[in-house]
Amino acid sequence: MVTEPKKLRIQMKTWRGMTRAALLGSTILCGVGAAYGQTDQPAAEPQSGRDVVVVTSQRRSEDIQDVPITVLAFPTEKLDQLQVSDFSNYAQYIPSLSYQSTGPNSTNVYFRGVVSGGDGNHSASQPSVGVYFNEQPVTTILGFLPLHIYDIERVEAIAGPQGTLFGAGAQSGVLRIISNKPDTSGFEAGYDLEVNQIEHGGTGAQVEGFVNQPVSDNAAVRLVGYYKKDAGYIDNVLGSRTFPTSGVTVTNADLVKKDFNSAETYGARAALRIDLNDSWTITPSILAQKTSVEGIGAFDPKLGDLKVERFEPDFSDDRILQAALSVEGKIGDFDLIYSGSYLDRKINSANDYTDYAFYYDTLFGYGAYFVGDAGTPIDPTQFYLGEDDFKLYSNEVRISSPSTDRLRFVAGLFQNQQEHHIHQQYVIRNLGAAIEVPGHPDTIWLTEQKRTDRDYAAFGEVTYDFTPELSATGGVRLYSYDNSLVGFFGYGSGFSSRTGEAACFGPAVVEGSPCTNLDRTVKDEGATYRANVTYHVEPDKMIYATYSTGFRPGGVNRRGTLPPYLADELVNYEIGAKTTWLNNTLTLNVAAFTEDWNDFQFPILGQNGLTEIQNASSARIQGIEGDFAWDPIDGLTISGAFSALESKLTSNFCGFVDANLRPETNCPQAVDNPATNGDETQDPQAPSGQKLPVVPEFKGTLTARYEFPFMDFDAHFQGSVSGQTASRSSLLVADQAILGDQKGFITLDLTTGIARDNWSLTAYLSNVTDERADLYNFVACAIGTCGAHAFQGTNLPRTLGIKWGQKF
C-alpha cells in the first residue's frame, strides 16, 4: 500500500497541474471573449404561442429548444399534473431512461441502454448516470438517492454522455432535481393532502407543505416538509422448507402478513437566500429525509400474483442528510459560482437469505458445514444484517463570461470524495463458536470495509458564433481518480483455512474487523471531450451534430486475489433537430445516435457469491429518440416521447482478461480436460452480437390533457399511456436461459380535477388496467444455483387517489 504522505503528494501534484491548466485557459479566454452565464441568468425571450421551458443543462439558463442535447424537463406545473412524488412517477415519462428496482431505496438507473446488468453492489462500478440535487452531485455507489419530489422547480433528464460539464458520474446521462429557491419578493405558502387505495393492497397517504418568507429586503427563507405512507401490496404467504442435510424443516408462520411491503418517508428542507448586494448572493441549504421500508417490492410468480415466501424479516432504514452552500456573483463582466456540499447517507437493512441456504444445501450439501457447538448440523437458514455509512464531499467553482458575447466560455475546478463504511453480517442462529467470525456471534461471513473514491477535475467549454445562425462548441475535462478498498471480508479461520481470517496479512484497520485481508488502491488520469456544431435553419428550427465521451473510473475488486477493473469509456456520435411548427403550437425534437461502449465494466457473481467486476470488451448502441408537444386547440395539450434502441456486443465476452487487464475476445479458450483425448473448448459467456440486458428496444409515452371551464371552476381531464417492449434479463447466455425475458407492458393513468381561486381538488386512477410491469428479474444467489426461485420486481397495482391542495 502506498503511504499516505506519498499519496497526498501525488494528489496535490495532479491537482496543482490541473489548477494551473484551468487558470491559464481562463486567462487566455478572458482576453478574447465570453462565456456561459450563471445558473439564474435570464433566458431567451419567449416565443409567442408556446410556454418556454428554461433549463440549465449546459450550466447556463436557456430555452430548452435552444439546447443541442436531448433534454426532457418537467417543470413544477408538469410534475403536479402527472402526480409525481418520487422517481418511479416521472421515470415512466422518460423513454431514454430505464431502471431496476426492488423498493423505494433500492434503484439503479440507466440511460440509452448503457447497462450490462447486475449493478449495485457496494464493491461494484460507480453508476453510469449522474444525479444532481440543485448544483450538488448526489450520485452514490449505494444506488439512486430516493428524494421525495415536492416544491421542485423542475426535473431535467439529459441523455447521452455529459462528461465535460458533469464528470465521471455522467457517462450515459444526467438526472437533475432542482428545488424552488427562496424568494425575497413576497410571502408564499401551500399544502397538499392525499389519500390513496392500492388494488390488492392497503391505504396510503401523503401530507406536504411549504412556506416562503422574506425576512428582510435582501433575504428570504424557504421551508419544506413532507410525510408519505406507501401502502403495501405484496403478501408474505405461509410456506416451509426442509433442508436435506440436517432434516430441519422451517416455516414462516410468524411472518405471514398481507401487504407486507409498506414504506414511510419523512423529510424536510430549508434554504436561506441572502443578497449581499446587486452582484453577490449566498444560499445555504439543508435537507433531511428518512425512509423506512418493510418487506420487498417483488413477488414470486410461481406462488401467484403478488405473493412471496420470506422466512426472515426484510427491512431497510435509509437516512439522508445533505448540507449545501451556493455562492453566486460577478467579477467584472464574469459570473462566478461556487457550490459545495456534504452528503451523509446511512442505511440499516436486513434481508432473508433462506433461498441461498436452501439451494446450496440441496444442490451441494453445504448444510454439512454449518454445525453447532456439539459439531452436528443445525438449521442453516441465513439472514443478512447490513450497515452502510456513506459520505460524499464535493466542491466546484466555475467562471463564465457573458452569454451574449460571440465567443463565450465556462471553466471550472471540481473535487469529489466518497467514503463508504461497509458492515455486512451473514447470520446463522446457534452457529458453533469455533466456526464464527471472531467478535461476531452466529456470523458465518463478515464484511468490514472502507471504500474511498476520490475524483479531481479541471474542465472547460468554449463556444464561438461564426454567424448568427452557426455556432461551434468544444470542451474538455481533465480528470484524476484515486479509488481504494481496505478491510476484511470472509469466514473465520475455524471455517476456512484459505479465505477470510486465514488470508489476513495485517491487524485490523477497519473497526469491527478481526484483521485485514484487503488493502488495494487504483488510480489513473485522463480526459473526456465534447465537440458540437449547431445551425439555426430558421429562428425556431435548429439542427446539431455532437461528438462526446463519458467515462467511469476503475476500481478494486473485493476479492484481493482478483485484478482491479479498468475505467470504461462511452463514445457518442449524435445528430439532432429541435423545431417549432404551426405558429409555435407544435414543438418536435428528434435525435439519432451511435454510442460505442469500450471495455465496459461487467459485474458477475463469482466464487462464494461475491460480486466480481470484469471489463467486458465492447458494445455498440444505436438509436433514435424524440419528443413533441402540441396545442391543437385552446385548452388541449398532447405530448409524448419515445426511444428506439439496438444495443449489442461487438465482440465476445469470454469472462477473463489478459496480462494487461484487457478483456480477451478470442473465444473459445482451450481447456485441458483429462476425461477426453485432447483439449476441449468452451463457448463465449456472451457472444458478439448478443443484445444488452434490461433496456427494451422501444419505449414510449403519450399524454393528453384538456382544460376547460366548468360552472365556476377550472376543470381538467388527463390521460397518459406508457409502455415498452420486452428485454433480456441477463447478458450471459446461461443466465438468460434460466431467467427468461423481462416482458413488455403498457400502463394507463387517468386524472381529473377542479380548481378555483387558491385551491384544487384532483382524483387520479393510475395503472388503470392493473398491469404487472416486469421491471427486474433476479434471484437470491448465483443464477445457476437459485434460478428455480426467481423474483419479479414490479410496479404499483391499480391505485385510486384523491388530492386536495391550497396555496396562499
Side-chain angles (χ1 to χ4, degrees), residues 521-604:
T521 299
V522 172
K523 58 183 65 178
D524 201 358
E525 57 187 33
T528 188
Y529 307 95
R530 177 174 180 252
N532 169 265
V533 177
T534 301
Y535 181 69
H536 281 83
V537 181
E538 298 178 12
D540 57 359
K541 296 176 178 62
M542 176 257 285
I543 58 175
Y544 67 88
T546 296
Y547 165 85
S548 58
T549 62
F551 75 101
R552 284 187 299 178
V556 177
N557 272 300
R558 64 167 163 166
R559 185 182 296 281
T561 56
L562 293 175
Y565 52 94
L566 304 175
D568 59 0
E569 180 187 49
L570 187 69
V571 181
N572 176 60
Y573 308 89
E574 181 175 343
I575 57 174
K578 293 200 168 183
T579 64
T580 306
W581 306 84
L582 303 179
N583 197 28
N584 291 325
T585 62
L586 171 66
T587 59
L588 180 60
N589 306 321
V590 66
F593 56 87
T594 294
E595 296 184 336
D596 290 325
W597 195 11
N598 301 317
D599 296 336
F600 70 84
Q601 298 165 7
F602 178 45
I604 63 172

Side-chain angles (χ1 to χ4, degrees), residues 222 304 578 672:
R222 195 175 191 98
K578 293 200 168 183
D672 184 22

Side-chain angles (χ1 to χ4, degrees), residues 150-167:
Y150 179 71
D151 195 43
I152 297 300
E153 180 181 327
R154 68 184 179 278
V155 173
E156 296 179 9
I158 314 169
Q162 307 298 322
T164 53
L165 293 181
F166 292 99

Side-chain angles (χ1 to χ4, degrees), residues 4 14 232 292 309 352 367 373 400 505 606 662 701 720 735 759:
E4 286 298 326
T14 303
S292 298
E309 290 176 352
D352 178 23
D373 288 329
S400 54
F505 50 75
R662 296 294 176 185
T701 180
S720 297
D735 290 351
W759 62 265

Side-chain angles (χ1 to χ4, degrees), residues 53-236:
V53 177
V54 176
V55 297
T56 52
S57 308
Q58 296 189 117
R59 301 292 202 174
R60 55 174 169 169
S61 294
E62 300 171 284
D63 181 350
I64 194 171
Q65 289 300 107
D66 291 330
V67 179
I69 302 172
T70 299
V71 184
L72 290 180
F74 302 85
T76 303
E77 183 180 20
K78 190 70 171 179
L79 294 170
D80 291 341
Q81 291 174 358
L82 296 175
Q83 306 301 315
V84 170
S85 64
D86 59 31
F87 166 76
S88 64
N89 296 145
Y90 64 79
Q92 65 178 311
Y93 301 106
I94 307 173
S96 60
L97 181 146
S98 297
Y99 67 98
Q100 295 176 306
S101 179
T102 58
N105 56 2
S106 179
T107 301
N108 297 303
V109 297
Y110 318 101
F111 268 111
R112 286 186 173 176
V114 181
V115 53
S116 57
D119 299 6
N121 187 277
H122 75 268
S123 60
S125 310
Q126 292 189 20
S128 68
V129 174
V131 183
Y132 276 69
F133 182 62
N134 294 319
E135 288 293 306
Q136 290 78 27
V138 291
T139 312
T140 81
I141 194 66
L142 298 179
F144 187 83
L145 205 68
L147 295 179
H148 184 75
I149 304 299
Y150 179 71
D151 195 43
I152 297 300
E153 180 181 327
R154 68 184 179 278
V155 173
E156 296 179 9
I158 314 169
Q162 307 298 322
T164 53
L165 293 181
F166 292 99
Q171 182 188 49
S172 66
V174 176
L175 276 174
R176 302 184 67 219
I177 303 168
I178 300 164
S179 64
N180 286 315
K181 304 300 187 295
D183 186 355
T184 59
S185 65
F187 171 81
E188 184 184 10
Y191 69 89
D192 291 278
L193 307 175
E194 179 183 331
V195 63
N196 56 67
Q197 178 66 46
I198 300 179
E199 188 93 359
H200 322 289
T203 301
Q206 190 167 267
V207 180
E208 304 163 313
F210 78 93
V211 175
N212 182 88
Q213 176 64 61
V215 293
S216 68
D217 292 340
N218 67 328
V221 64
R222 195 175 191 98
L223 306 175
V224 178
Y226 49 86
Y227 165 78
K228 183 182 182 184
K229 169 65 181 298
D230 292 305
Y233 52 90
I234 304 290
D235 298 337
N236 193 26

